[in-house]
Amino acid sequence: GIVGQVVLPLGWLVGEWAQDGGYSIARHDLSDLGAIGAPHAWIMLVGQGVCGVCTIAFAFAGLRPALAGIRGRTVATLGVALSVQGLDNLSDSLFRLDCRAADGCTQEQSMASWHGMIHGIVAMVTILVIAVAPFLVGYFLRRAKEWADVARWSMWLGVVIVLSIGGCFVESALGYSQRVLVLASSAWIVVLAARVLALSDGPAPAGTD
């Protein structure tokens, strides 16, 4: 879970460095770094793929077992796996946009193909998931002693995530807002993963399944 969240920003930072002068981190989508025609798109695609696989693996093989006995563990597992860090990153590495906004491509043109449409649909679904998942996870974890502080972090990071989603509707700040969204989502998963590591040698949290 932690490794995936480190690999993704490294991928986009190197990917940004490899772009030409037309790309703007303030206005352009992260997905543009992996779009068809983007310079060295493989860098971003590898970062997204690794992050997606690691996040989904953590959700089912790490988080779910650690939440044994806690009500809502299935919701928490799916919230992480189907979030922008999990399903969306894995999907984006496989289903690319058709072109970059930096090259004058419109949103409609970027999703004209079947793989571009899948890219857009998965993005919408996973953004809805990440907008609510931290709050649901915080709600379910608040009564478990070993997870109570994590529940508070989940709620606060959820607020940051929702605000950054709102910022994505401001065209001049789309790039910045999306990066805040991804970093806040990554921080949420890192907090969960760190607690799983801390509890890995101890008893399972008490609660009601």
Side-chain angles (χ1 to χ4, degrees), residues 51-61 77 80-82 85-88 90:
C51 181
V53 169
C54 287
T55 301
I56 293 171
F58 161 68
F60 288 100
T77 301
V80 170
L82 301 180
Q85 300 306 96
L87 176 61
D88 189 53
L90 179 58

Side-chain angles (χ1 to χ4, degrees), residues 168-193:
C168 290
F169 291 96
V170 180
E171 185 176 356
S172 60
L174 168 61
Y176 289 144
S177 297
Q178 191 187 50
R179 284 161 175 77
V180 173
L181 165 62
V182 173
L183 289 175
S185 301
S186 289
W188 176 57
I189 294 171
V190 167
V191 168
L192 294 172

Side-chain angles (χ1 to χ4, degrees), residues 13 37 60 69-70 91 104-105 142 145 147 158-159 164 179 184 186 189 193 198-199 201 208:
L13 287 172
F60 288 100
I70 294 181
S91 174
C105 183
R142 74 194 192 287
K145 180 181 177 182
W147 292 90
V159 172
S164 61
R179 284 161 175 77
S186 289
I189 294 171
L199 296 175
D201 293 325
T208 302

Side-chain angles (χ1 to χ4, degrees), residues 99-177:
C99 48
R100 297 189 310 163
D103 297 323
C105 183
T106 65
Q107 188 174 44
E108 292 75 17
Q109 290 171 331
S110 69
M111 293 185 286
S113 66
W114 64 270
H115 50 83
M117 288 181 63
I118 292 176
H119 185 107
I121 291 170
V122 173
M124 288 188 291
V125 171
T126 54
I127 286 175
L128 289 175
V129 171
I130 199 63
V132 300
F135 299 104
L136 288 175
V137 171
Y139 173 79
F140 286 121
L141 296 184
R142 74 194 192 287
R143 296 185 184 277
K145 180 181 177 182
E146 296 87 346
W147 292 90
D149 57 332
V150 173
R152 291 190 292 272
W153 274 105
S154 187
M155 292 287 192
W156 282 113
L157 287 169
V159 172
V160 177
I161 288 169
V162 170
L163 291 175
S164 61
I165 290 173
C168 290
F169 291 96
V170 180
E171 185 176 356
S172 60
L174 168 61
Y176 289 144
S177 297

